[in-house]
Amino acid sequence: MSKSTEELKSLTTQIRRDILRMVHAVNSGHPGGSLGCTEYFTALYGRVLNYKLPFTMAGKNEDLFFLSNGHISPVFYSTLARFGFFPVSELATFRKLGTRLQGHPTTHEGLPGVRVASGSLGQGLSVGIGAALGKKLDGDSSLVYTLQGDGELQEGQNWEAFMYAAAKKVDNIIATIDYNGRQIDGDTDDVLDLGDLHAKLEAFGWKVLNEKNGNDLEAVIAILERAKAETGQGKPVVILLNTEMGFGVDYMVGTHAWHGKAPSDEQLETAFKQLYIEAPADY
């Protein structure tokens, strides 16, 4: 059953609670980017992506999603669980020995919703382009979605992929860049400035869309729907989604410090007070 916008907004808070609980339990993981991308994942799985359950790896006649910046696995896992891909209780196994919920998503344990191992950055767009071309060969009109971090774009494979997709008119793919301006070592402007990313992507032959409010659920739904409307016109589509790392927890925003650090017991309690919902369904 589809959820209302208000239900989806409440779900973003629940997912954020899941993210923090997961990384706190094992004192490891990546909360910052996960919190920043929560609206994207909720919009994608709650309103935009055409998928079927139970999950099949082939995904014929379904939209496909590939996560490239696999270190934000907490938000991916929570979203998949909350939308019925696997039991919510399994989130308690995050990063533990023998779990299907590895720190970076993997496929060898058959976790529903995961179609590619990721976390070695810079590869997701290439995988997505391959899947999109496969759908064209199969006569499948479904779309392929990918998510990349902005820091990832400092790797050259992305630019080969951008060039290839435009040259081959791969117009059934929607790439989204989590444009938060931060990475593990600091601000992207300081580590390796990306320059005018919009102009670069346009020059590479992509249709470029911008959304300044990447932590506004309704705005994210709208930009994804707009991107869908731009497919099939001879150009691949990319969204520059401006998000805030650590969004929802005041002491995590405005810094790269929480890229890969878990909160303490006290910090977790503080965060939960800020992420209040009337009837939390914590695992």
Side-chain angles (χ1 to χ4, degrees):
M1 181 182 295
S2 62
K3 297 180 184 293
S4 68
T5 301
E6 287 307 309
E7 288 174 318
L8 291 176
K9 286 180 179 179
S10 180
L11 185 58
T12 64
T13 302
Q14 182 63 67
I15 290 172
R16 286 190 165 98
R17 291 173 68 94
D18 291 345
I19 291 165
L20 295 171
R21 191 179 296 277
M22 279 189 277
V23 299
H24 169 265
V26 290
N27 197 32
S28 68
H30 297 78
S34 294
L35 293 169
C37 284
T38 301
E39 281 77 16
Y40 171 82
F41 277 90
T42 305
L44 188 68
Y45 281 87
R47 193 58 62 81
V48 177
L49 198 70
N50 175 35
Y51 62 89
K52 300 172 186 175
L53 294 177
F55 172 81
T56 62
M57 184 62 82
K60 292 183 179 179
N61 300 311
E62 298 178 53
D63 295 337
L64 306 182
F65 170 70
F66 296 99
L67 174 65
S68 187
N69 48 332
H71 56 279
I72 65 166
S73 62
V75 65
F76 190 25
Y77 294 151
S78 174
T79 302
L80 291 175
R82 295 291 172 181
F83 282 98
F85 283 77
F86 56 85
V88 171
S89 60
E90 194 169 351
L91 297 177
T93 70
F94 175 68
R95 278 184 173 247
K96 294 182 179 178
L97 291 175
T99 183
R100 298 195 297 178
L101 277 62
Q102 294 292 316
H104 292 173
T106 62
T107 57
H108 64 281
E109 295 292 348
L111 184 66
V114 178
R115 288 191 170 92
V116 64
S118 59
S120 180
L121 295 175
Q123 300 175 6
L125 183 59
S126 298
V127 173
I129 290 168
L133 288 171
K135 284 195 174 292
K136 282 181 174 287
L137 289 171
D138 289 341
D140 183 342
S141 61
S142 303
L143 299 175
V144 175
Y145 294 79
T146 67
L147 179 65
Q148 288 76 229
D150 49 4
E152 267 192 279
L153 302 188
Q154 296 161 351
E155 297 196 20
Q157 181 170 331
N158 290 285
W159 297 96
E160 295 177 33
F162 284 130
M163 181 169 60
Y164 182 91
K168 302 302 180 183
K169 296 181 171 54
V170 186
D171 58 1
N172 58 337
I173 189 168
I174 299 172
T176 298
I177 296 167
D178 177 22
Y179 205 14
N180 62 29
R182 294 187 173 90
Q183 58 192 104
I184 192 169
D185 289 329
D187 289 355
T188 54
D189 287 352
D190 297 328
V191 177
L192 186 60
D193 192 352
L194 296 169
D196 189 339
L197 194 52
H198 183 115
K200 287 181 179 179
L201 293 168
E202 265 191 349
F204 268 69
W206 284 59
K207 175 66 178 181
V208 186
L209 305 178
N210 292 277
E211 178 48 62
K212 297 295 185 183
N213 300 309
N215 294 117
D216 180 316
L217 180 65
E218 291 175 273
V220 177
I221 292 171
I223 198 68
L224 284 167
E225 293 289 359
R226 183 182 165 198
K228 284 176 66 174
E230 295 286 353
T231 60
Q233 300 182 41
K235 283 188 174 185
V237 181
V238 59
I239 300 169
L240 296 180
L241 190 68
N242 286 261
T243 68
E244 181 63 56
M245 183 178 282
F247 188 84
V249 181
D250 60 5
Y251 60 82
M252 290 189 178
V253 299
T255 175
H256 70 283
W258 294 93
H259 173 94
K261 183 174 73 171
S264 66
D265 293 350
E266 182 179 352
Q267 288 167 331
L268 181 66
E269 287 303 313
T270 299
F272 277 174
K273 290 175 183 176
Q274 296 174 29
L275 297 169
Y276 173 80
I277 45 177
E278 189 169 339
D282 297 331
Y283 63 87

